[in-house]
Amino acid sequence: MTAQTTKKTMAAQKAEATNEPVEFAYQGIPFVVQSNKKLPLDLLEAIEEDRGEIQIVRSIVGSEQWAAFKSLSPTIEDFEEFAALVSGAAGFGDSGN
């Protein structure tokens, strides 16, 4: 586990304990992820219905932040990096990539 991953995990743990959101930046754009208890129910449905990683990440960040990410014209590699950041901020650890 890298220091950056540890920091994200600690931030996510603090967010869960205090019900506060976790903030991170990706390519200079700030993103906010709610503490995992305040994430939308759509996320749980996406997970249970096994809709895939893109739908899960989109559910976590919401439509406005997803549009901000997409405005960067991301590659698959960019998505994998972004998904790992989102997953860590949400307290889910490694996104599986």
Side-chain angles (χ1 to χ4, degrees):
M1 184 178 289
T2 67
Q4 185 178 15
T5 303
T6 302
K7 182 178 178 184
K8 285 181 214 154
T9 302
M10 291 174 58
Q13 288 173 346
K14 180 180 177 191
E16 183 177 4
T18 61
N19 250 353
E20 295 295 321
V22 174
E23 297 181 27
F24 67 92
Y26 181 76
Q27 294 191 9
I29 297 176
F31 291 89
V32 177
V33 173
Q34 296 300 317
S35 67
N36 62 13
K37 296 278 185 179
K38 293 201 173 207
L39 290 170
L41 185 58
D42 288 348
L43 171 62
L44 188 56
E45 290 174 341
I47 292 169
E48 287 186 353
E49 294 171 6
D50 197 23
R51 287 193 226 152
E53 191 174 9
I54 290 175
Q55 184 60 42
I56 290 169
V57 170
R58 189 181 335 185
S59 294
I60 293 171
V61 299
S63 59
E64 288 182 28
Q65 293 187 114
W66 181 252
F69 171 69
K70 292 275 303 225
S71 75
L72 299 169
S73 298
T75 63
I76 293 171
E77 182 178 36
D78 295 333
F79 172 75
E80 291 172 348
E81 182 180 340
F82 181 71
L85 290 169
V86 170
S87 181
F92 299 134
D94 185 12
S95 66
N97 291 324

